Amino acid sequence: MTTRARILVIDDDEVVRLSYAMSLAPDYEMQTASDGAQGLSLMQRRPDDVVLLDQRMPGMHGLEVLKAIKGRWPESEVVMITGFPSVESAKEAVRLGARDYLAKPVGPDEVLGAARSALLHKQWMLREQHSTQEALQ
């Protein structure tokens, strides 16, 4: 039995959370959080493979959440999604470790594509780490 990849959606907009979850649920194990603190709490209990993260939310800003995730769970891939894209915030998101940066509105195919791309990247990185460890032994 293979384990399905886990994806966490953190967004303060319930419609967005449900939309992303519906698009991804057939292929992935899903959880959702309405703010950064709740998302980090869920990650603490069970780190997800990919996090789809809104940038502007009440409480913790998405970039703060991104920094916390990459600091504690560096193997988790994060896709930053924002309704207020800018070159500056995109640069900062990538600097902090975001795998991708998408501008809302994001359709189901784009959400699925970003999640798949992030998961492939994670699998590739884990394979490379494993190969490097074996070579050092």
Side-chain angles (χ1 to χ4, degrees):
M1 181 174 124
T2 58
T3 304
R4 292 192 327 159
R6 296 180 312 270
I7 298 179
L8 170 61
V9 176
I10 306 174
D11 197 300
D12 60 320
D13 185 327
E14 182 178 18
V15 171
V16 170
R17 286 193 313 272
L18 293 175
S19 171
Y20 295 174
M22 285 176 47
S23 297
L24 297 164
D27 298 318
Y28 305 105
E29 188 177 324
M30 297 296 308
Q31 342 186 60
T32 64
S34 60
D35 61 39
Q38 183 184 26
L40 291 174
S41 177
L42 290 171
M43 288 288 289
Q44 181 69 35
R45 282 188 246 144
R46 187 204 75 188
D48 290 275
D49 298 303
V50 174
V51 178
L52 302 178
L53 177 61
D54 188 20
Q55 184 173 329
R56 283 196 184 175
M57 297 180 289
M60 290 182 79
H61 190 275
L63 292 173
E64 293 175 87
V65 178
L66 169 61
K67 187 175 181 179
I69 290 171
K70 294 308 282 185
R72 295 185 74 185
W73 305 282
E75 68 285 351
S76 293
E77 295 290 347
V78 179
V79 176
M80 183 68 66
I81 303 174
T82 181
F84 305 93
S86 71
V87 171
E88 294 78 22
S89 67
K91 284 181 183 179
E92 184 65 6
V94 170
R95 187 186 72 75
L96 291 172
R99 175 73 190 127
D100 206 346
Y101 182 92
L102 303 175
K104 289 180 182 176
V106 181
D109 290 340
E110 196 172 5
V111 169
L112 194 55
R116 284 181 178 156
S117 175
L119 282 167
L120 284 173
H121 184 261
K122 178 179 178 167
Q123 290 167 351
W124 180 82
M125 290 300 292
L126 291 174
R127 203 169 325 169
E128 286 296 310
Q129 288 174 356
H130 183 71
S131 295
T132 300
Q133 289 172 351
E134 284 183 344
L136 294 174
Q137 292 177 356

